[in-house]
């Protein structure tokens, strides 16, 4: 089976007066349907690795393969197209557009991709919100929701274009323990029942145990 | 809600910054409105003035002058030598166009050309203890009729009255007003050569060109020759053309052939036409300044939005918006302000013109008018729209480019 995403001796350095290495020689394979947690102390390069895997940032060494296809030679626009159709992001902050209702926020990636008609896009967005128990909040603005609800809207948005890969960067950082648990259980469900690959960065080792596999980073390297 | 996604987002941004958007919208509108209003006023005035001088004055005036002093024989013989002549005394020329009758005849043979001879000079009018210095022009009424508007401009009397009354004179309205002269009055006139004559006023004209109304009087050609003590002399040929655009080339041709200075209407009104150029420059720079200020407004709103919406830009890019998609959103915001501002400005400009048209007052500058002379043309609307929309788009381009270059990693990292 082809890996959903694969990192081959991935490195990222910041050039400057004092060169900083964010991640160093990372080899990582995430299979379809696998739920992986990346843990490590702050500054260990967890988020940097996630951005490299998500094609938001370009490595200074090594390469990222999406479904076995190399990405190093792709243009920024081609990378954007891959992110749009195949990768869903969830961040610590929800990043919902404040002027748009929850429904409209979920619709944005669908409309950007443009494969569905306006009515179909609306139905799909509504369906996603319903499946995340947000049916009553479709018309509400993000500011009218609680933190946990907002993060679930953000997850619905990440799922909008039915991507096989979900990348989450400290998605529970702003949530209370109970809600954080619910979010992680939701990720587990998405992986097990829908076959999506989930990579979650967290510093919470207890939550990380809900994942199938844990990758621990220290100083930009994977340690066993 | 069938708006394209980018438009949707752009609109949301502008509505979010409602007050700032309104201010820059107003700036664009005012720029457009002023452009339309001022253009209509200035071009109305200018076109009216040009129409009047084409109408009222001869299209070409041939004068008994030469443009440059004749070259001396020694200079003609040695064109490359450095010759210095001292104590050179110009010969006293008898003024007047020599061979004017022949010239008149041959010019009249040309199609579309009407010629009238004239002798003009100075005259001092004396009436009721007041002296008024004027230009007197001796005319030949049947020919004059075809060349100038004098007959149509007469407020009272007729050109033929010059024949029927002895020593008849037609005065400009301003001349008459200055000395309190009315039709039928008898005035005494003294010419520079000392000829005195009693003249009877048979008509008063108003051309609405202030300079003419205040300084011109007309008598028969014969009388002018007597006043100037120059029998049979003509010092001007006034020419009117069916096609006024031919004035400049024909004037040049006449001057080449006969050697006398021939001025087309453009040359006669050169200083006024020159003022128009300056006027236009001032107008366009003023209006451009308004639009530039408006563009700073647009630049300001969109820069603020880009700054405020950094997080949104970050998430949009991470979810797969390309640089150009982001740029398009913000350029569209400028475009929307530009287009909407233009539409409002059109309405305001139209209102401004109608308001100016409703004003009535007496104005006396180069010309007399009873209110603004307005020139209405769709061209002004098109030009103002093009200027407003192009500059609004340019003003939005700079912050839009900055937004498109933001690195999503810098934004999503650590925002929380």
């Amino acid at each position: 089976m082809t890996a959903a995403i694969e990192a081959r001796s991935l490195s990222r350095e910041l050039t400057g007066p004092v060169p900083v290495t964010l991640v160093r020689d990372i080899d990582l394979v995430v299979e379809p349907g696998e739920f992986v947690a990346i843990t490590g102390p702050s500054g260990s390069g967890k988020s940097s690795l996630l951005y490299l895997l998500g094609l938001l940032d370009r490595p200074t060494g090594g390469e990222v393969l999406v479904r076995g296809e190399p990405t190093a030679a792709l243009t920024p626009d081609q990378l954007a197209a891959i992110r749009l159709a195949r990768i869903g992001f969830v961040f610590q902050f929800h990043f919902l557009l404040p002027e748009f209702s929850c429904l409209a926020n979920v619709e944005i990636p669908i409309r950007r991709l443009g494969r569905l008609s306006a009515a179909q896009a609306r139905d799909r967005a509504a369906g996603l919100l319903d499946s995340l128990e947000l049916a009553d909040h479709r018309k509400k603005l993000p500011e009218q929701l609680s933190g946990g609800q907002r993060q679930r809207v953000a997850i619905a948005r990440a799922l909008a274009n039915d991507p096989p890969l979900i990348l989450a960067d400290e998605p529970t950082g702003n949530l209370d323990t109970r809600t954080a648990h619910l979010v992680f259980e939701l990720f587990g469900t998405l992986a097990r029942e829908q076959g999506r690959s989930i990579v979650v960065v967290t510093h919470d080792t207890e939550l990380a145990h809900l994942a199938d596999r844990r990758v621990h980073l220290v100083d930009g390297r994977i340690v066993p | 809600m069938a708006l394209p996604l980018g438009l949707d987002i752009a609109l949301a941004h502008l509505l979010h910054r409602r007050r700032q958007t309104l201010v820059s919208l107003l700036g664009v509108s005012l720029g457009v409105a002023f452009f339309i209003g001022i253009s209509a006023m200035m071009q109305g005035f200018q076109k009216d003035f040009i129409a009047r001088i084409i109408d009222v004055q001869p299209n070409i005036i041939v004068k008994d002058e030469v443009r440059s002093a004749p070259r001396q024989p020694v200079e003609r013989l040695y064109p490359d030598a450095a010759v210095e002549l001292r104590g050179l005394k110009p010969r006293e020329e008898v003024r007047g166009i020599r061979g004017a009758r022949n010239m008149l005849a041959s010019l009249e043979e040309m199609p579309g050309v009407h010629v009238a001879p004239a002798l003009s000079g100075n005259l001092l009018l004396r009436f009721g203890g007041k002296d008024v210095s004027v230009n007197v022009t001796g005319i030949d009424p049947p020919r004059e009729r075809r060349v100038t508007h004098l007959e149509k401009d007469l407020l009272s009397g007729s050109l033929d009255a010059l024949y029927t009354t002895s020593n008849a004179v037609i005065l400009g309205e301003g001349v008459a007003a200055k000395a309190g002269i009315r039709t039928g009055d008898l005035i005494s006139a003294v010419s520079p050569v000392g000829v005195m004559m009693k003249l009877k006023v048979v008509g008063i004209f108003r051309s609405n060109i202030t300079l003419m109304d205040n300084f011109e009087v007309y008598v028969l050609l014969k009388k002018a020759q007597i006043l100037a003590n120059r029998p049979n002399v003509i010092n001007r040929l006034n020419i009117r053309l069916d096609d006024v655009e031919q004035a400049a080339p024909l004037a040049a041709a006449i001057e080449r052939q006969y050697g006398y200075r021939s001025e087309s209407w453009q040359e006669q009104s050169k200083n006024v036409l020159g003022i128009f150029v300056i006027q236009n420059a001032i107008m366009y720079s003023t209006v451009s300044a308004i639009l530039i200020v408006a563009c700073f407004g647009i630049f300001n709103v969109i820069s603020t939005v880009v700054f405020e919406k950094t997080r949104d830009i970050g998430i949009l890019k991470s979810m797969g918006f390309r640089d150009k998609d982001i740029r398009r959103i913000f350029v569209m915001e400028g475009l929307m302000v530009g287009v909407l501002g233009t539409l409002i400005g059109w309405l305001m400009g139209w209102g401004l013109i109608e308001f100016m048209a409703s004003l009535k007052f007496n104005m006396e500058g180069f010309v007399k008018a009873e209110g603004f002379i307005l020139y209405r043309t769709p061209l002004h609307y098109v030009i103002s729209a093009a200027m407003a929309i192009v500059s609004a788009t340019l003003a939005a381009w700079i912050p839009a480019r900055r937004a498109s270059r933001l690195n999503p990693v810098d934004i999503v990292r650590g925002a929380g």
Side-chain angles (χ1 to χ4, degrees):
Chain A
M1 204 194 264
T2 320
I5 195 142
E6 182 178 354
R8 285 191 190 151
S9 52
L10 205 58
S11 297
R12 178 73 168 96
E13 284 176 18
L14 291 182
T15 52
V18 186
V20 182
T21 305
L22 299 174
V23 294
R24 196 180 310 220
D25 263 341
I26 300 277
D27 286 294
L28 180 68
V29 176
V30 180
E31 301 295 343
E34 196 178 14
F35 179 10
V36 179
I38 300 176
T39 58
S42 54
S44 58
K46 311 185 291 290
S47 295
S48 301
L49 174 59
L50 194 80
Y51 301 148
L52 288 170
L53 293 176
L55 310 178
L56 276 179
D57 199 8
R58 283 186 186 264
T60 46
E63 62 176 337
V64 175
L65 291 88
V66 178
R67 292 215 169 149
E69 289 168 26
T71 58
L74 297 181
T75 66
D77 284 0
Q78 287 169 321
L79 295 181
I82 294 178
R83 288 202 300 272
L84 181 64
R86 306 242 283 265
I87 303 174
F89 284 98
V90 181
F91 299 102
Q92 179 174 359
F93 181 74
H94 57 81
F95 288 118
L96 296 170
L97 303 196
E99 300 90 355
F100 288 82
S101 69
C102 296
L103 188 65
N105 262 292
V106 179
E107 276 182 69
I108 287 174
I110 309 177
R111 290 170 68 184
R112 174 73 199 90
L113 188 62
R115 282 188 196 151
L116 299 183
S117 73
Q120 286 172 316
R122 168 140 307 192
D123 288 348
R124 169 150 182 86
L128 282 168
L129 287 177
D130 293 355
S131 71
L132 294 173
E133 289 159 30
L134 290 162
D136 299 339
H137 307 296
R138 286 181 194 172
K139 296 284 173 201
K140 287 189 183 170
L141 292 176
E143 64 184 14
Q144 295 167 307
L145 301 183
S146 72
Q149 288 168 328
R150 280 181 211 160
Q151 200 58 298
R152 272 185 288 156
V153 176
I155 293 170
R157 179 179 61 187
L159 293 169
N161 284 328
D162 196 17
L165 177 65
I166 301 281
L167 301 177
D169 185 14
E170 299 276 12
T172 58
N174 288 335
L175 303 178
D176 58 78
T177 322
R178 204 180 65 83
T179 320
H181 255 279
L182 290 175
V183 167
F184 263 73
E185 279 164 14
L186 176 63
F187 282 136
T189 316
L190 291 174
R192 275 189 304 280
E193 293 177 8
Q194 300 180 1
R196 296 181 210 275
S197 308
I198 316 275
V199 180
V200 180
V201 163
T202 181
H203 61 269
D204 188 327
T205 44
E206 191 191 332
L207 282 173
H209 276 91
L210 294 169
D212 302 339
R213 181 153 67 97
R214 280 151 300 283
V215 175
H216 194 65
L217 282 192
V218 175
D219 290 339
R221 287 181 201 272
I222 295 181
V223 293
Chain B
M1 278 299 278
L3 281 177
L5 178 56
L7 210 59
D8 229 2
I9 297 174
L11 205 59
H13 285 170
L14 289 181
L15 291 179
H16 178 73
R17 282 254 141 217
R18 207 161 297 182
R19 188 178 303 180
Q20 260 182 311
T21 305
L22 218 59
V23 168
S24 47
L25 205 59
L26 209 63
V28 175
S29 305
L30 283 180
V32 168
F34 275 118
F35 179 86
I36 291 172
I38 294 175
S39 301
M41 190 171 80
M42 302 269 262
Q43 286 212 350
F45 168 71
Q46 292 174 3
K47 279 183 185 289
D48 177 72
F49 184 83
I50 289 171
R52 280 196 215 188
I53 57 175
I54 289 174
D55 233 31
V56 173
Q57 293 183 347
N59 301 150
I60 301 176
I61 299 177
V62 183
K63 293 182 172 172
D64 62 336
E65 301 166 9
V66 286
R67 237 174 247 276
S68 48
R71 276 149 60 88
Q72 295 299 315
V74 64
E75 288 169 342
R76 259 180 284 169
L77 196 56
Y78 302 109
D80 299 328
V83 179
E84 195 187 328
L85 290 171
R86 293 192 182 174
L88 192 66
K89 280 208 185 102
R91 191 170 50 178
E92 286 277 338
E93 296 251 11
V94 181
R95 295 293 300 266
I97 297 174
R98 266 181 279 175
R101 300 278 159 206
N102 293 340
M103 238 175 111
L104 187 66
S106 60
L107 284 173
E108 272 183 332
E109 275 169 27
M110 297 168 81
V113 177
H114 311 287
V115 194
L119 175 65
S120 72
N122 297 321
L123 200 62
L124 195 66
L125 298 183
R126 194 163 281 171
F127 182 75
K130 273 189 185 156
D131 288 350
V132 184
S133 158
V134 295
N135 290 326
V136 62
T137 306
I139 57 169
D140 178 20
R143 286 202 171 93
E144 190 71 17
R145 218 168 253 144
R146 278 177 290 158
V147 172
T148 65
H149 256 217
L150 181 58
E151 184 162 44
K152 286 181 194 156
D153 290 339
L154 283 176
L155 296 175
S156 61
S158 73
L159 278 191
D160 287 330
L162 289 175
Y163 287 121
T164 53
T165 311
S166 65
N167 291 352
V169 66
I170 292 174
L171 305 180
E173 190 190 31
V175 178
K178 265 190 266 184
I181 304 168
R182 277 174 299 187
T183 314
D185 285 345
L186 209 58
I187 50 180
S188 44
V190 190
S191 75
V193 294
V195 177
M196 289 182 64
M197 201 183 269
K198 284 280 181 187
L199 298 173
K200 189 164 172 89
V201 179
V202 296
I204 289 174
F205 71 90
R206 181 202 287 162
S207 67
N208 280 337
I209 292 183
T210 311
L211 213 56
M212 285 183 73
D213 292 351
N214 284 352
F215 291 103
E216 296 292 327
V217 308
Y218 293 93
V219 296
L220 279 184
L221 184 55
K222 279 265 176 295
K223 296 291 173 218
Q225 287 165 345
I226 295 168
L227 279 170
N229 195 18
R230 295 161 77 186
N232 290 323
V233 169
I234 291 169
N235 67 359
R236 265 170 59 177
L237 288 177
N238 293 334
I239 301 175
R240 173 161 214 86
L241 304 169
D242 289 348
D243 177 10
V244 292
E245 294 308 316
Q246 292 301 316
L250 185 63
I254 293 171
E255 185 158 340
R256 255 199 320 278
Q257 190 176 348
Y258 298 101
Y260 287 112
R261 183 180 176 112
S262 308
E263 293 178 354
S264 61
W265 61 268
Q266 290 100 326
E267 191 180 344
Q268 295 164 38
S269 311
K270 199 165 54 186
N271 35 7
V272 177
L273 296 178
I275 289 172
F276 286 171
V277 172
I278 298 171
Q279 251 185 355
N280 286 341
I282 293 172
M283 169 185 102
Y284 287 116
S285 42
T286 309
V287 175
S288 310
I290 297 174
L291 272 178
I292 287 171
V293 172
C295 284
F296 276 117
I298 294 174
F299 177 81
N300 190 25
V301 194
I302 295 171
S303 296
T304 314
V305 171
V306 167
F307 182 74
E308 271 188 349
K309 297 296 177 190
T310 307
R311 285 177 170 186
D312 296 10
I313 296 165
I315 187 67
L316 289 174
K317 289 188 99 169
S318 70
M319 71 169 69
F321 277 61
R322 293 163 298 179
D323 288 4
K324 60 181 166 200
D325 299 321
I326 301 288
R327 201 164 50 224
R328 201 174 292 156
I329 289 172
F330 291 98
V331 169
M332 213 129 64
E333 289 173 20
L335 203 61
M336 282 196 276
V337 173
V339 169
L340 197 62
T342 298
L343 292 178
I344 297 172
W346 278 0
L347 265 175
M348 286 165 65
W350 179 81
L352 193 62
I353 290 180
E354 294 311 314
F355 171 70
M356 287 194 291
S358 72
L359 293 179
K360 291 279 175 260
F361 56 90
N362 284 324
M363 170 176 82
E364 192 162 342
F366 290 129
V367 298
K368 269 189 181 169
E370 289 164 349
F372 289 113
I373 304 145
L374 297 162
Y375 178 63
R376 296 174 174 85
T377 167
L379 191 67
H380 290 157
Y381 290 81
V382 174
I383 294 176
S384 60
M387 278 176 22
I389 292 170
V390 166
S391 42
T393 310
L394 281 181
W397 179 262
I398 301 165
R401 200 179 54 161
R402 204 171 64 86
S404 75
R405 287 184 178 172
L406 287 176
N407 183 359
V409 171
D410 295 338
I411 299 164
V412 294
R413 186 197 292 278

